[in-house]
């Protein structure tokens, strides 16, 4: 904490503006928190550590609702732990986002009529750094708007000096341990981004294509293969059939003519082929299909690459220079002209991979790349969850995690980009290969060149939990704050990020896990549960909602929808409701201050308190216990709902209202309630603070005179319970609720006063007569009192004289008409449900609808009859 944080707190003030204006509070208040060092964590502190590292947003990104959602939950966790006395570190930073950032700068260059090749590698990388300084990190300022309580002094970037050293260190370690290797394999290639991408960066979608059946060979030595990618036949080096398929036994081992070429190719037998699918024969193109590559390896087939990096045909002949899709049409036309097309199916809907960044159709391509041997790393990542060192929450998400780590393929980590961590390998003039660590001297001399590729972005972000704390150096931060406590992230990046961090963390940190709990959230959707997408027109900028309703309203709405692992629907009307809640907190606190609520001095003894005081304190401490349990189980929706209903329903709607008569009466009872109300608001504002930090800090400092609720002590459940008081106030609530309902049924205005006789003797409600009369607008009965309606509730009786307020005869006539209509509806529904012929023919949904009408009619009859019974005879 900074020196400023040690200054004397301001004197308490009971002055609050009549309305809460978030825009006047939030920006200034956030900067005050930062200036006072509230979010700065001290590695030398004796306090227990609590650490969360932020999933680093892309340097190209801006705050969207998904960010706002997860950041709200992480902020709530760290704010609460800070208040509980932990040295709470929430570490921020950004990812360099290799492909995305390079694309941004290349677009800029294209507008200038240039390409990265025009600049050259060194100048291009310098240009990207300039772009990063000017445009990158927009999201960091937006995080301040949201109220993120991160330690800005520890902000990291995946390409800063320290993290770059960590990347080079772990690459060298993996290389020396033979867990990184270079090999020619089939990879996912993006012809637009001109780089390899990993399996998890491929998005599959159903596309309309074509299925073409082609006759290979001549005369008796022919067979038919079907393909969706006719253009790759130029690279076929075999046709494969199943060894047990009797149809093709006579062809296995022979060579047949490959159409449109002057080559012959062998027929091979391989168990990979499904004899029941199609014709039972498949074309084999080892350089352009992963399964075909495996067949080629087993049979020693040649791999012929027929496309360049832009997916343009490279073989000689009439198809050379054509784009892959142009070549497909031209090849099919040529085959058709030769009578080799046996069948054509269009459209043929099939799953096609697309680049997740630019949406270009992926091209499987044989390429020399760098790989991580994931077998032992993935096993360790699975074991850490299985043996309980890391817990996945909710637990049912563990299956998705195991499905991935137990079946992981070796990871292609090289990318053909210029922006990123360059692979630290040098090649010598005599074929030497040298991997260089951060403390090694790179080879120099004629003919030595560094590998031109860079590492996959997920390679560096996989080190995030420990590289951000100073690894490979054994820093004080690393000793204090590692392993981190919680990784809170969306279930959609279990594969991208979570598994990578688990593998690298366990490997680099000698078996120490990178985090103790993986708390998985769902995704934010619109109010109808639909995925948010620009194409759907339902994307929301959270900053717009913050401008209109305040950051607290956005945060509370997101938290209130956060059930573990479940998607979160959100609509503007819900944010409006949360704004109303913030206003309710403001107005209730303002009322309390104007009526002398105080936190000074100890709480009075329970013997001095009214039942209302004891009831609210009992409910308060039950709520503290409930909220703590929900936090520990990552049940943000439930804890938010619990706080909402306690604050609005019990504190503001009941306790504040019931206290008005006490305050008006004055004396010791008022003094006791002023202290109790101060206590309740103090604790309630603390409980609400992690989710709605701005309004609560403003109100808490005004109420208590304390420096800031950010550094206040988190409430503890004192164990105070008073079941008798709770039962007594429940009876009082029943009386007030029932009489209010009756008044509404009779059409009385809320403020309309009615003469009443209360019979409360012998009940626990006797001390509450003044409050009952005030809340229900009930006048003393007077000399001319005539009970026209009597309501027995909770052991008490409330008799009302409605003769001067309603026309009893007209009301009876109206209710009788409504009763007759309800009885007619019941008779019709009963008759239909008793008709066997109707039930035999009617669809289930129609029958269910009629059953619903019958149930509704029964409810209406009971309600109307009760109203009639309460009215006097006309």
């Amino acid at each position: 904490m900074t020196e400023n944080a040690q200054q004397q707190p301001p004197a308490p003030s009971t002055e609050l503006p009549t309305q809460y204006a978030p825009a006047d509070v939030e920006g200034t208040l956030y900067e005050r928190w930062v200036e006072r060092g509230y979010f700065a964590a001290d590695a030398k502190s004796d306090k227990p550590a609590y650490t969360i590292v932020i999933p680093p947003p892309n340097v190209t990104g801006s705050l969207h609702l998904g960010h706002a959602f997860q950041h709200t939950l992480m902020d709530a966790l760290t704010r609460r732990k800070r208040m509980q006395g932990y040295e709470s570190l929430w570490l921020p930073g950004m990812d360099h986002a290799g492909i995305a950032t390079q694309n941004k700068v290349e677009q800029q260059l294209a507008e200038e009529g240039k390409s990265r090749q025009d600049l050259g590698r060194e100048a291009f990388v310098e240009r990207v750094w300039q772009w990063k300084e000017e445009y990158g990190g927009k999201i960091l300022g937006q995080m301040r708007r949201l109220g993120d309580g991160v330690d800005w002094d520890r902000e990291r970037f995946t390409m800063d000096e320290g993290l770059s050293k960590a990347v080079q260190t772990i690459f060298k370690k993996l290389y020396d341990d033979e867990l990184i290797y270079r090999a020619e394999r089939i990879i996912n290639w993006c012809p637009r981004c001109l780089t390899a991408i990993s399996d998890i960066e491929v998005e599959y979608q159903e596309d309309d294509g074509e299925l073409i059946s082609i006759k290979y060979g001549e005369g008796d030595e022919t067979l038919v293969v079907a393909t969706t990618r006719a253009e790759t036949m130029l690279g076929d080096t075999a046709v494969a059939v199943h060894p047990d398929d009797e149809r093709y036994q006579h062809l296995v081992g022979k060579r047949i003519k490959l159409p449109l070429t002057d080559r012959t190719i062998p027929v091979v037998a391989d168990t990979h082929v499904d004899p029941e699918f199609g014709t039972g024969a498949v074309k084999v193109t080892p350089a352009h299909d992963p399964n075909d590559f495996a067949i080629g390896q087993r049979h020693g087939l040649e791999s012929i690459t027929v496309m360049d990096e832009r997916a343009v045909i490279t073989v000689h002949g009439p198809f050379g220079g054509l784009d892959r899709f142009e070549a497909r049409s031209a090849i099919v036309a040529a085959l058709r002209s030769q009578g080799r097309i046996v069948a054509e199916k269009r459209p043929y809907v099939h799953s096609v991979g697309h680049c997740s960044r630019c949406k270009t159709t992926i091209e499987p391509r044989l390429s020399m790349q760098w790989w991580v041997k994931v077998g032992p790393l993935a096993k360790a990542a699975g074991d850490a969850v299985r043996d309980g060192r890391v817990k996945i929450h909710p637990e049912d998400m563990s299956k998705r995690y195991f499905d991935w780590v137990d079946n992981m393929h070796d990871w292609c980590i090289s990318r053909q980009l210029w922006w990123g961590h360059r692979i630290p390998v040098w090649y010598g003039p005599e074929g030497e290969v040298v991997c260089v660590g951060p403390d090694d001297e790179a080879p120099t001399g004629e003919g030595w060149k560094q590998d031109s590729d860079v590492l996959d972005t997920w390679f560096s972000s996989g080190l995030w939990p420990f590289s951000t704390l100073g690894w490979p150096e054994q820093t004080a931060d690393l000793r204090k704050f590692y392993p981190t406590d919680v990784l809170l992230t969306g279930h959609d990046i279990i594969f991208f990020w979570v598994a990578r961090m688990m593998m690298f963390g366990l490997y680099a940190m000698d078996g120490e896990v990178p985090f103790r709990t993986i708390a998985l959230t769902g995704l934010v959707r619109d109010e109808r549960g639909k995925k948010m997408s620009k194409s759907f027109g339902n994307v929301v900028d959270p900053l717009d909602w913050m401008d209109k309703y305040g950051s607290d309203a956005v945060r509370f709405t997101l938290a209130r929808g956060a059930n573990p692992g479940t998607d979160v629907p959100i609509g503007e009307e819900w944010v409006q409701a949360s704004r109303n809640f913030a206003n309710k907190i403001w107005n209730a606190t303002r009322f309390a201050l104007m009526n002398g609520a105080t936190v000074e001095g100890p709480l009075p003894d329970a013997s001095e308190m009214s039942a209302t005081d004891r009831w609210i304190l009992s409910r308060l401490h039950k709520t503290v216990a409930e909220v703590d349990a929900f936090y520990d189980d990552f049940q943000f929706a439930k804890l938010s709902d619990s706080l909402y209903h306690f604050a609005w329903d019990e504190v503001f709607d009941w306790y504040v209202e019931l206290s008005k008569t006490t305050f008006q009466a004055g004396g010791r009872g008022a003094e006791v309630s002023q202290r109790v109300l101060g206590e309740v608001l103090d604790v309630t504002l603390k409980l609400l603070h992690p989710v709605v930090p701005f309004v609560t800090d403003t109100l808490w400092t005004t109420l208590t005179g304390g420096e800031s609720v950010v550094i206040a002590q988190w409430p503890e459940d004192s164990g105070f319970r008073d079941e008798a008081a709770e039962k007594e106030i429940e009876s009082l609530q029943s009386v007030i609720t029932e009489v209010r309902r009756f008044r509404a049924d009779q059409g009385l205005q809320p403020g309309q006063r009615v003469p009443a006789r209360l019979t409360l003797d012998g009940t626990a409600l006797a001390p509450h007569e003044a409050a009952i009369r005030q809340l229900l607008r009930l006048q003393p009965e007077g000399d001319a009192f005539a009970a026209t309606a009597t309501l027995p509730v909770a052991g008490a009786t409330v008799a009302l004289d409605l003769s001067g307020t309603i026309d009893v005869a007209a009301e009876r006539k109206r209710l009788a008409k409504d009763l007759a209509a309800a009885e007619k509806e019941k008779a019709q529904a009963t008759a239909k449900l008793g008709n066997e012929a109707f039930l035999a023919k009617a669809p289930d949904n129609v029958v269910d609808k009629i059953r619903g009408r019958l149930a509704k009619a029964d409810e209406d009859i009971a309600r109307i009859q009760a109203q009639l019974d309460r009215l006097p005879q006309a």
Side-chain angles (χ1 to χ4, degrees), residues 540-799:
V540 173
D541 184 345
L543 295 171
D544 292 341
W545 282 352
M546 289 184 211
D547 290 340
K548 290 176 72 173
Y549 307 112
S551 297
D552 284 335
V554 174
R555 291 171 60 114
F556 192 71
T557 305
L558 291 165
R560 205 173 177 196
N563 290 299
T566 304
D567 289 350
V568 182
I570 185 172
E572 187 167 3
E573 66 274 17
W574 302 335
V575 185
Q576 291 173 350
S578 296
R579 186 269 317 273
N580 295 344
F581 179 51
N583 288 342
K584 186 78 170 179
I585 302 169
W586 183 272
N587 292 333
T589 306
R590 191 166 173 271
F591 164 85
L593 290 168
M594 290 190 298
N595 283 274
T598 181
V599 297
E600 294 181 9
L603 274 173
D605 190 80
S607 62
E608 287 194 275
M609 296 179 189
S610 67
T612 309
D613 294 329
R614 287 181 277 111
W615 160 74
I616 197 62
L617 288 174
S618 182
R619 290 294 308 127
L620 175 69
H621 287 285
K622 282 185 177 179
T623 302
V624 171
E626 188 173 71
V627 168
D628 276 335
F630 286 145
Y631 262 116
D632 292 341
D633 198 33
F634 303 99
Q635 297 281 358
F636 295 98
K638 290 182 178 178
L639 73 88
S640 298
D641 221 41
S642 175
L643 285 169
Y644 175 88
H645 288 295
F646 173 71
W648 192 308
D649 298 346
E650 298 186 277
V651 179
F652 306 150
D653 276 0
W654 283 108
Y655 184 69
V656 166
E657 291 300 314
L658 290 170
S659 297
K660 287 179 179 178
T661 53
T662 306
F663 294 148
Q664 288 169 2
R668 179 57 182 163
E671 292 175 358
V672 170
S673 290
Q674 286 167 339
R675 180 63 187 89
V676 170
L677 179 54
E679 179 75 10
V680 170
L681 285 176
D682 175 22
V683 173
T684 302
L685 291 170
K686 288 175 181 175
L687 292 174
L688 284 166
H689 172 72
V691 180
V692 283
F694 293 106
V695 68
T696 50
D697 195 38
T698 304
L699 294 174
W700 186 86
T701 52
T702 304
L703 172 71
T704 68
E707 183 182 339
S708 174
V709 73
V710 177
I711 54 173
Q713 186 175 346
W714 182 256
E716 293 184 0
D717 174 17
S718 69
F720 181 86
R721 302 289 189 272
D722 193 323
E723 301 300 335
E726 288 195 41
K727 188 173 181 180
E728 181 175 326
I729 301 304
E730 284 172 13
S731 297
L732 175 61
Q733 290 170 329
S734 296
V735 170
I736 293 171
T737 300
E738 188 65 24
V739 176
R740 279 176 173 166
R741 184 181 297 119
F742 176 74
R743 286 174 58 109
D745 288 344
Q746 306 311 314
L748 296 175
Q749 295 300 313
Q752 191 171 351
R753 305 194 76 79
V754 178
R757 176 183 298 148
L758 305 184
T759 306
L760 307 176
D761 293 343
T763 74
L765 297 172
H768 301 287
E769 179 168 353
I772 293 171
R773 287 189 177 277
Q774 180 165 317
L775 292 175
L776 292 173
R777 304 295 190 269
L778 303 179
Q779 297 176 183
E781 54 192 90
D783 295 336
F785 179 82
T788 59
T790 302
L791 286 76
V793 189
T797 302
V798 180

Side-chain angles (χ1 to χ4, degrees), residues 7-80:
Q7 295 174 356
Q8 290 299 313
S13 167
T14 58
E15 293 298 320
L16 282 174
T18 55
Q19 290 185 320
Y20 177 49
D24 295 341
V25 170
E26 292 178 350
T28 303
L29 188 53
Y30 185 83
E31 292 308 317
R32 187 185 307 153
W33 293 336
V34 174
E35 288 168 8
R36 292 180 174 179
Y38 294 158
F39 307 138
D42 183 0
K44 297 177 182 178
S45 167
D46 293 332
K47 297 177 183 178
Y50 183 82
T51 316
I52 294 179
V53 292
I54 206 164
N58 286 354
V59 68
T60 58
S62 60
L63 189 74
H64 56 64
L65 274 174
H67 289 129
F69 170 54
Q70 292 180 359
H71 287 207
T72 293
L73 306 187
M74 285 184 277
D75 195 30
L77 290 173
T78 50
R79 283 178 183 269
R80 172 176 174 257

